[in-house]
Amino acid sequence: MSAARSTRPIIVFGDDWGRNVSTMQHLFRHLARRHPIIWVNAIGHRPPSISIADAKRIANKIRSITAGARRGPAPVNALDGIGEPPLEIVHPRVLPWHQYGWNRAVNRRSLVGAIRGALARHGLTERPILVTGTPPSV
């Protein structure tokens, strides 16, 4: 006997979906059978440095943001075939300098707008459950 599907969404702030498959991704693939999941990709843990690794990461984030604007399916990852992918993956348009109040205000506005848009696109009107695995999302 399977549990009834809830309409109460869960918004998850985690690492980029499919980039480094994590316990959180595994867990929420299973919870997606019962709840609509909106996954919010990483919003940055630290300001970028001047390095090749950070330059590549910035380029990848820009690609994911522009691809996310097209709202395609979740990228393939090692957990495919296990549970279900999120209903939608939000690619936040935020800046990583969280220590500045002006930047937190700009990021908050952008992030809230993106999440509200995702909820509206899927007709989700119940108050969401928020889960975070990343300190900057607080």
Side-chain angles (χ1 to χ4, degrees), residues 41-47 57 61 92 94-98 134-137:
N41 274 347
I43 61 173
H45 290 258
R46 61 171 178 78
R57 180 78 175 118
K61 287 300 276 186
V94 297
L95 298 172
W97 295 277
H98 309 297
T134 63
S137 66

Side-chain angles (χ1 to χ4, degrees), residues 41-109:
N41 274 347
I43 61 173
H45 290 258
R46 61 171 178 78
S49 64
I50 300 174
S51 70
I52 292 174
D54 277 3
K56 287 180 181 178
R57 180 78 175 118
I58 291 167
N60 287 338
K61 287 300 276 186
I62 291 170
R63 273 194 294 278
S64 76
I65 288 169
T66 57
R70 292 190 296 271
R71 292 188 192 89
V76 173
N77 75 30
L79 293 175
D80 282 351
I82 299 171
E84 297 178 22
L87 188 60
E88 185 166 327
I89 298 170
V90 173
H91 303 275
R93 291 175 171 90
V94 297
L95 298 172
W97 295 277
H98 309 297
Q99 70 270 30
Y100 302 112
W102 63 267
N103 187 52
R104 285 192 306 273
V106 169
N107 285 349
R108 186 178 307 113
R109 173 176 267 168

Side-chain angles (χ1 to χ4, degrees), residues 32-48:
R33 292 178 177 150
R34 295 191 184 130
H35 291 271
I37 305 293
I38 304 293
W39 187 275
V40 181
N41 274 347
I43 61 173
H45 290 258
R46 61 171 178 78

